[in-house]
């Protein structure tokens, strides 16, 4: 396989300067001072020398520190691909292990995921101990607004030890430019600053011609090219090739320098021999090449010698590495050559692109091979290459690039069915449900009414997949149910469809789009059950699609407090044991098991499950999941009243610079919960309000509900019972149609008391269904004896620790000191110590008095 299988290293290296480069500086002197510019933009037309001055500044002035380099192209209009290359460009300077940590954060596909990644990237950059220059060349290729926005965010929050240089033919659409300019952080270099003066032009003449021009000719040349670097070079090349060494006609120089390219290039081409001209034209179809690639694509002889001649003549051949093996033509010159070839010999232009596609594919450079096939209009070859490369892109989350390729097939081109189904899936994943349905209808219109043959069995597996995804993402299930009735044949294997990994970040599957953001209704339960039934009947019970549906069902039933159903689905998952290899399943399954253990009152087992899972993720160096697991441990500590332990655990999360985002909803809510316990409720409310807005915009019922419950908790903690009751009524109204239970039941006694408050305030609860829902919740809490402490101490006045509470529970059960010691793994002496503490806090002197005082409905309790 070639070097370009994943990363093209030539994009990460600055072009090597030609021997004839002219030393010149275009930078404001302030840039060299300690309080200098942090963002430098170089914006000018093609051929203005942008890349050259950047290379000189970074590599040949010797005093600006280390630099990363990234040359961009059209394929980088994919958000994740763009940042993946940014990571690789900076790898030599990033802390050890950064690559794995950051690349894992890039995979999740959602609007908020990228900012979680950016925050981590920024944190890693702060770990660089030296000043560094970050160069982005050819930024004009980037047109996607989401990339502009993400780069703007990255620059805005970057350390002052980082300088960012951006070169582009067009003005940069970054929102922060005005702000950076006003604050003195931005320097702008334009065409005027890049223009050659007469002294610099004379040095160029000496390098190119071996002599100076007369002052009159030099002045004429500079004036009529306006100092444009490419115009000067082309004119001098033409002069060198002209035996008379005379200046070009004045009419030519009277043209705007933006229109000189064609004329001067023709002059250059006319002065070349036939073989060299043919080599230039035929190799111009390739964006990067070396001698062997040139020979394989063009089948021309002596390609090594031809490249040496081009170097000697300075014909806009740019080395891409310091060994000068890889080259490209200057973009302006290469575009001219390619256009000329296409105009003079279109059949040869198409044939060379087709051959380039074949050669690059053999080397393993699939992305370039696909581009060449599309340019050659060989759509069958292009489709085959996209199909071959598609799984890698999907795994990396590069759906933008995949969609870009699929959209480049002309309308009316018959794509292979598999690619069309992937296109429908991408539409569905990105919320473009109408486009997905339209394309799906077109596909189905050509299928039904024909006998089921082997090829159409593949159709069935793809139809099943895309229809299920579209139903879950759009929440429209009627059509899917009708389709499900027609599935009577086996579903052949297609890993792209049935083994797509839906979850790369969420600790609970119900928070993903395929988990319906936590909403398990009778309808969605039927859909989930039916999907699993169909997949199992066709031998696909171990597919990721089936596994994720089962986990979503388990989590949904836990929320509805239907524990038998929850355990049933978990048991079915654990039978296959595939979940251990997929963190997106492994983490949610383990956390659901921990919640079940805690509900049973077995807090030690709950914590042990999470710790074991954390150890497994640490062994994999998977920081993405470790963060969520640590947050869950802190939440367990807080729910158990272990504030000091929670505070210590929170320090390991390193959330001080954490951006509020849905991708870190568990961590953010745990942080807010900690702040509430610390009586820092204003800060908690500010964080929760920001998270709630995002959850509501994303339609995430589950996260929205959890956030509002914490908002109620914050108000209750600071004594604003009425305000807390209003928050609680709001969230109850939100989730009443879905019969949420555990979101409330897992909170503890404060919420039960608030439910009582809400239930007795009369007019605040206006609807009978809401009153019935509250009564239903309170009944289930009482039946479960919520967390035991809630019934023993419903108002939280005794201040018992979790361990003391467990001892008191066993006193109520009538256990002796020895049996209590056996139950809790303590010594009898330790049990006696706990008992003395309990008596002291309760103000009693015996176990009977302790039981009587804390027994629900006792005289003391009723007197309050």
């Amino acid at each position: 396989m070639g070097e370009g299988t994943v990363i093209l290293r030539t994009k990460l290296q600055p072009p090597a300067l030609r021997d004839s480069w002219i030393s010149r500086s275009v930078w404001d002197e302030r840039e060299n001072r300690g309080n200098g510019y942090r963002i430098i933009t170089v914006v000018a037309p093609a051929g203005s020398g942008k890349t050259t001055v950047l290379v000189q500044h970074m590599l040949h002035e010797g005093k600006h520190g280390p630099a990363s380099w990234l040359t961009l192209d059209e394929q980088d209009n994919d958000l994740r691909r763009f940042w993946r290359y940014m990571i690789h460009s900076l790898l030599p300077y990033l802390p050890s292990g950064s690559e794995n940590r950051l690349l894992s954060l890039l995979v999740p596909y959602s609007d908020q995921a990228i900012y979680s990644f950016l925050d981590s990237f920024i944190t890693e950059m702060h770990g660089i101990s030296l000043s560094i220059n970050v160069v982005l060349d050819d930024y004009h290729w980037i047109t996607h607004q989401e990339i502009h926005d993400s780069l703007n965010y990255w620059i805005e929050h970057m350390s002052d030890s980082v300088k960012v240089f951006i070169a582009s033919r067009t003005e940069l659409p970054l929102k922060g430019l005005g702000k950076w300019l006003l604050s003195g952080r931005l320097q702008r270099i334009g065409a005027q600053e890049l223009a050659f003066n007469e002294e610099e032009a004379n040095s160029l003449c000496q390098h190119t011609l071996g002599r100076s021009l007369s002052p009159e000719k030099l002045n004429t040349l500079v004036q009529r090219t306006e100092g444009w670097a490419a115009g000067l070079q082309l004119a001098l090349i033409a002069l060198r090739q002209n035996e008379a060494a005379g200046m070009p006609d004045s009419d030519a120089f009277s043209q705007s320098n933006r229109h000189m390219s064609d004329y001067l290039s023709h002059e250059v081409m006319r002065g070349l021999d036939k073989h060299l001209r043919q080599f230039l034209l035929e190799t111009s179809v390739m964006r990067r090449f070396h001698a062997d690639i040139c020979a394989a694509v063009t089948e021309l002889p002596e390609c090594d010698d031809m490249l040496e001649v081009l170097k000697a003549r300075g014909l806009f051949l740019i080395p891409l590495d310091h060994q000068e093996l890889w080259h490209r033509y200057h973009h302006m010159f290469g575009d001219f050559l390619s256009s000329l070839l296409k105009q003079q010999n279109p059949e040869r232009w198409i044939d060379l692109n087709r051959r380039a596609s074949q050669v690059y594919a053999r080397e393993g450079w699939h992305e370039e091979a696909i581009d060449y096939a599309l340019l050659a209009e060989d759509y069958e070859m292009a489709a085959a290459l996209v199909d071959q490369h598609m799984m890698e892109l999907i795994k990396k989350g590069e759906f933008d690039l995949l969609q870009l390729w699929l959209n480049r097939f002309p309308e009316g081109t018959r794509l292979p069915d598999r690619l069309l189904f992937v296109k429908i899936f991408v539409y569905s994943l990105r919320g473009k449900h109408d486009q997905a349905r339209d394309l799906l209808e077109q596909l189905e219109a050509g299928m039904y009414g024909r006998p089921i043959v082997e090829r159409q069995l593949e159709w069935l597996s793809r139809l099943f997949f895309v229809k299920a995804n579209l139903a879950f993402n759009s929440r429209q299930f009627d059509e899917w149910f009708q389709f499900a009735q027609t599935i009577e044949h086996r579903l052949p294997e297609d890993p792209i469809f049935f083994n797509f990994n839906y979850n790369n970040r969420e600790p609970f599957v119900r928070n993903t789009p395929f988990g319906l953001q936590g909403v398990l209704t009778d309808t969605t339960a039927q859909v989930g059950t039916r999907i699993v039934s169909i997949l199992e009947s066709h031998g696909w019970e171990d597919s990721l699609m089936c596994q994720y549906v089962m986990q979503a069902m388990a989590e949904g039933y836990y929320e509805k407090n239907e524990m038998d159903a929850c355990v049933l689905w978990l048991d079915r998952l654990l039978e296959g044991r595939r979940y251990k290899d997929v963190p997106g399943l492994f983490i949610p399954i383990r956390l659901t098991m921990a919640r079940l253990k805690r509900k049973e009152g077995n807090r030690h087992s709950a914590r042990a499950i999470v710790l074991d899972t954390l150890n497994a993720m640490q062994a994999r160096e998977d920081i993405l999941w470790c963060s969520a697991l640590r947050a869950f441990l802190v939440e367990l500590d807080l729910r158990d009243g272990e504030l000091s332990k929670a505070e210590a655990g929170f320090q390991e999360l390193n959330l001080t610079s954490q951006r509020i985002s849905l991708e870190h909803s568990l961590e953010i809510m745990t942080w807010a919960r900690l702040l509430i316990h610390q009586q820092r409720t204003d800060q908690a409310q500010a964080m929760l309000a920001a998270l709630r807005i995002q959850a509501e915009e994303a339609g995430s019922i589950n996260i929205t509900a959890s956030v509002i419950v914490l908002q109620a908790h914050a108000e209750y903690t600071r004594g604003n019972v009425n305000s807390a009751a209003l928050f609680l009524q709001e969230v109850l109204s939100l989730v009443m149609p879905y019969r949420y239970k555990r979101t409330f039941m897992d909170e503890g006694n404060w919420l039960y008391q608030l439910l009582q408050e809400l239930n007795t305030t009369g007019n605040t609860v206006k609807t009978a269904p809401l009153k019935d829902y509250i009564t239903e919740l309170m009944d289930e809490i009482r039946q479960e004896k919520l967390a035991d402490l809630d019934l023993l101490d419903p108002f939280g006045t005794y201040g018992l620790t979790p361990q003391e509470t467990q001892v008191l529970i066993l006193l109520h059960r009538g256990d002796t000191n020895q049996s209590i010691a056996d139950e809790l793994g303590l010594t009898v002496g330790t049990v006696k110590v706990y008992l003395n503490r309990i008596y002291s806090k309760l103000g009693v002197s015996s176990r009977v008095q302790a039981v009587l005082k804390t027994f629900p409905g006792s005289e003391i309790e009723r007197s309050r």
Side-chain angles (χ1 to χ4, degrees), residues 76-79 82 142 144-151:
D76 295 316
N77 274 296
D78 181 291
L79 185 64
F82 175 89
I142 303 303
H144 284 203
Q145 188 60 46
E146 58 186 356
I147 298 179
H148 301 321
D149 292 343
S150 64
L151 180 61

Side-chain angles (χ1 to χ4, degrees), residues 807-817 819-820 847 851:
V807 171
L808 186 56
I809 291 168
L810 296 180
L811 284 186
H812 275 257
R813 200 169 70 180
D815 285 17
T816 65
N817 288 358
S819 61
I820 292 174
R847 70 169 56 212
V851 170

Side-chain angles (χ1 to χ4, degrees), residues 728-736 744 758 770 773-774 777:
L728 184 58
Q729 181 173 333
E730 183 180 10
V731 67
L732 288 168
S733 300
L734 174 68
V735 301
M736 181 174 61
F744 307 103
L758 195 61
L770 185 55
Y773 181 38
I774 292 173
L777 261 177

Side-chain angles (χ1 to χ4, degrees), residues 548-703:
Y548 274 119
V549 172
M550 287 196 286
Q551 177 58 26
M553 297 287 283
E555 293 174 24
Y557 280 117
Y558 177 85
E559 178 61 65
K560 293 169 77 71
N561 202 32
E562 298 181 24
M563 296 305 162
D564 290 342
C566 173
V567 171
L568 174 65
W569 285 104
L570 284 177
D571 284 341
R572 293 174 70 175
L573 277 165
L574 299 185
E575 286 174 3
R577 296 192 175 275
R578 181 180 184 180
Y579 72 95
K580 289 188 175 181
D581 300 322
V582 183
L585 278 168
F586 182 59
I587 306 301
I589 288 172
R590 286 300 190 91
L591 293 187
T592 303
M593 292 169 64
R595 282 183 163 179
L596 285 169
K597 285 297 182 184
R598 190 181 184 284
K599 174 198 169 295
E600 295 169 1
N602 197 336
R603 293 163 178 161
H604 297 295
S605 293
R607 186 175 182 83
I609 289 171
V610 182
L611 281 171
D612 179 69
T613 310
L614 177 59
N615 291 334
M617 290 300 102
Q618 286 176 325
R620 295 170 53 128
E621 297 185 352
D622 198 330
I623 62 165
L624 184 71
W625 295 108
C626 289
S627 174
L629 290 166
R630 288 194 179 98
F632 195 85
L633 284 171
V634 172
E635 180 182 320
L636 287 179
D637 291 334
L638 290 172
R639 290 184 186 276
D640 291 344
E642 299 280 2
L643 181 58
S644 297
K645 197 172 183 180
E647 289 174 335
F650 176 78
Q651 296 304 315
E652 297 183 36
L653 285 173
N654 191 28
L655 293 180
T656 53
S657 62
Q658 185 66 58
R659 183 180 185 272
I660 305 299
S661 75
L662 285 181
E663 295 303 313
H664 289 277
S665 60
L666 176 59
E667 292 94 323
I668 299 302
M669 286 190 286
T670 300
W671 191 358
R673 191 182 294 277
L674 176 61
L675 291 170
I676 292 169
H677 280 263
Q678 294 171 333
Q679 304 295 317
R680 297 158 64 188
T681 51
D682 287 342
Q683 186 178 347
Q685 286 289 38
M687 294 171 58
L688 292 169
L691 184 61
R692 177 176 173 177
I693 290 172
Q694 295 183 23
E696 290 175 338
E697 288 177 348
S700 178
I701 303 296
N702 179 47
I703 296 176

Side-chain angles (χ1 to χ4, degrees), residues 300-506:
L300 294 174
E302 301 174 343
C303 289
D304 279 320
D305 294 340
M306 292 291 185
L307 287 173
E308 290 302 319
V309 171
L310 294 181
K311 293 179 192 177
R313 297 196 182 189
L315 284 177
F316 294 93
L317 186 69
I318 298 176
L320 294 179
D321 54 25
H322 294 291
Q323 293 76 33
E324 297 196 16
L325 297 175
W326 284 93
H327 296 83
R328 69 167 172 85
Y329 293 117
H330 187 287
H331 294 312
M332 181 194 64
F333 191 55
D335 290 345
F336 162 76
L337 293 172
S338 183
S339 297
L340 188 61
L341 173 65
K342 189 175 183 180
Q343 179 184 357
Q344 293 178 350
N345 193 344
E347 293 81 8
R348 182 59 174 165
W349 186 86
I350 287 176
D351 181 58
L352 286 168
N353 274 289
R354 182 183 294 110
R355 291 179 60 82
S357 178
Q358 294 168 341
V359 170
Y360 277 64
R362 282 200 302 269
E363 294 295 324
W365 302 314
H366 294 100
E367 293 170 2
E368 292 169 294
I370 290 167
D371 274 338
Y372 292 132
L374 288 168
L375 288 169
E377 300 179 9
D378 191 333
Y379 299 119
E380 183 177 352
M381 179 191 296
L385 288 168
V386 172
D387 186 79
Q388 180 182 353
H389 192 52
M390 184 164 49
M391 192 65 177
E392 180 185 345
L393 288 179
I394 289 175
K395 285 181 178 178
K396 294 189 295 186
E398 293 184 11
F399 294 106
D400 291 335
L401 181 56
L402 180 57
Q403 190 169 54
L404 174 68
W405 281 336
L406 293 175
N407 289 341
R408 284 178 62 184
F409 288 87
E411 189 173 350
T413 302
R414 179 61 182 176
L415 284 175
D417 297 339
R418 192 165 182 254
L419 294 189
L420 289 174
F421 280 114
V422 168
K423 193 171 184 179
I424 294 169
F425 171 56
V426 173
Y427 277 147
S428 174
L429 192 67
R430 303 188 68 180
K432 298 180 178 180
H433 305 310
D434 291 340
Q435 293 97 316
R437 286 194 189 88
D438 289 345
L439 186 54
L440 188 56
E441 288 175 3
Q442 296 173 28
L443 274 169
E444 289 185 282
M447 174 191 170
Y448 290 125
R450 296 183 296 181
I452 296 294
V453 296
E454 190 65 26
R455 175 175 170 273
Q456 288 175 313
L457 290 176
E458 294 290 341
W459 264 68
L460 283 177
S461 71
R462 297 162 190 168
L463 271 175
F464 180 80
F465 176 85
V466 297
K467 280 180 173 288
N469 277 276
L470 187 55
F472 272 86
N473 278 287
S474 65
R475 303 189 185 184
Q476 297 181 11
F477 299 102
D478 292 343
E479 183 181 348
W480 188 88
F481 271 119
Q482 295 175 10
F483 169 74
Q485 302 303 318
T486 68
I487 299 294
E488 299 175 355
H489 302 269
R490 67 181 179 86
L491 300 179
E493 179 174 352
D494 196 334
I496 282 185
F497 294 99
F498 284 171
N499 279 321
F500 176 74
N501 191 357
Y502 292 88
N503 185 24
N504 295 289
R505 175 59 184 89
E506 286 292 345

Side-chain angles (χ1 to χ4, degrees), residues 244-256:
M247 291 293 293
D249 292 341
S250 59
D251 287 344
F253 285 108
S254 67
Q255 301 176 51
S256 165

